[in-house]
Each structure stands twice: as C-alpha cells, then as structure tokens.
Amino acid sequence: AQHFQAAEGGLEKVARSYTKFGLNLQPNGDISFMEWAPCAKSMSIFGDFNKWNRNEFSAKRNEFGCFCITLKPNEDGTPRIKHLGKYKI
C-alpha cells in the first residue's frame, strides 16, 4: 500500500485508473486516450472516423511508458469517434 501511495497517490487512485486509461469522452467533447505500453516505439489510433489513416493521430509517449493523445470533437461538437464506431490502436 505504501508503494501505491508514493507512486500513484494511493490505492484508490490506482483502482480508478479506468478513468484515465483507454478511450474516455470528456465533458467538452474531446476523447482522451491513454495506454501503457512501455516497450512500444509508437502508437496511433485510426478507424472509420478518419478513413483508416494510420498516420493522422499519433500518440505521444511519456516518461512512464504511457502513450497519450486527445482527439478534438468534430466542428459540430460531436465526438470524433462515434458510439460503436470501429477503430484500432
């Protein structure tokens, strides 16, 4: 428990990591994505929403081996990835 407190801010924060990792719709319509992949050299997200263009949305790697990206909403305010839309990481 002390390790979780020191590294992550407590066991409760670790248990709620689902709010940070994966795809998450934000109140402003952004979609945030975070994935822990410490051995990966790169990561991108693509799918129906961008005509399967692998190079359009590349995630940035942080010092902990997590890849992060924020997808801004469409011009009309709807999320870029639609509910049940197909995508790959």
Side-chain angles (χ1 to χ4, degrees), residues 1 19 26 34 54 77:
T19 63
Q26 303 301 315
M34 183 186 296
R54 292 175 181 248

Side-chain angles (χ1 to χ4, degrees), residues 16-80:
R16 295 185 187 277
S17 63
Y18 66 90
T19 63
K20 292 190 324 186
F21 288 92
L23 290 174
N24 288 286
L25 181 61
Q26 303 301 315
N28 66 353
D30 287 356
I31 294 176
S32 63
F33 170 75
M34 183 186 296
E35 183 69 34
W36 184 64
C39 294
K41 295 183 182 196
S42 66
M43 190 174 291
S44 62
I45 184 168
F46 54 97
D48 289 341
F49 67 96
N50 74 339
K51 298 181 180 148
W52 298 95
N53 180 348
R54 292 175 181 248
N55 301 314
E56 186 174 3
F57 296 108
S58 296
K60 303 284 186 222
R61 186 179 190 277
N62 70 19
E63 67 271 20
F64 304 110
C66 291
F67 286 83
C68 308
I69 191 168
T70 299
L71 303 178
K72 296 295 182 187
N74 295 315
E75 288 183 21
D76 65 1
T78 60
R80 182 155 318 239

